[in-house]
């Protein structure tokens, strides 16, 4: 029997103003996910963000690790991958090897 996937979605906007609420909400969902579930954070809806988004992702990864779980991030916007690279945390967040997804409406 394979593990189920607990899929969590980042909001469309994740700036300093939303960071605390997002970290609390998503952190509680990580804690509530069944122990055997694979944790996947979907960043596909994320359109407006600042470096606070990286802080939230790092906090969620820390919480998952503290619970003995792995958290992967999927459908990461190219700008967030670039920002993570600029701050030197792309590898820590598992974004280094992942292809970036162009933002909606981007050419």
């Amino acid at each position: 029997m394979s593990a189920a996937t607990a899929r969590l979605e980042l909001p469309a906007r994740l700036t300093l103003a939303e960071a605390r609420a997002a970290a609390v909400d998503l952190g509680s969902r990580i804690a509530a996910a069944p122990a055997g579930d694979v944790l996947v954070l979907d960043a596909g809806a994320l359109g407006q963000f600042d470096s606070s988004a990286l802080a939230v992702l790092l906090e969620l990864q820390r919480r998952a690790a503290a619970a003995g779980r792995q958290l992967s991030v999927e459908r990461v916007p190219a700008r967030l991958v670039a920002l993570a690279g600029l701050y030197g945390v792309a590898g820590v967040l598992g974004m280094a090897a992942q292809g970036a997804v162009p933002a909606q409406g981007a050419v």
Side-chain angles (χ1 to χ4, degrees):
M1 180 193 249
S2 63
T5 299
R7 192 165 202 77
L8 311 171
E9 294 188 14
L10 285 177
R13 179 181 161 98
L14 186 49
T15 63
L16 181 59
E18 298 84 23
R20 183 176 176 88
V24 169
D25 176 52
L26 292 166
S28 66
R29 290 200 217 163
I30 287 172
D37 282 8
V38 174
L39 300 173
V40 176
L41 192 57
D42 186 345
L46 192 59
Q48 187 175 2
F49 56 87
D50 59 19
S51 59
S52 300
L54 295 176
V56 170
L57 291 175
L58 289 166
E59 172 62 13
L60 295 175
Q61 188 172 62
R62 184 197 65 75
R63 287 184 188 193
R69 317 273 301 274
Q70 286 193 329
L71 177 69
S72 65
V73 186
E74 295 181 351
R75 299 189 334 131
V76 183
R79 288 181 14 244
L80 186 57
V81 173
L83 189 62
L86 180 66
Y87 279 85
V89 297
V92 173
L93 292 171
M95 295 180 188
Q98 136 175 194
V101 175
Q104 288 183 341
V107 179

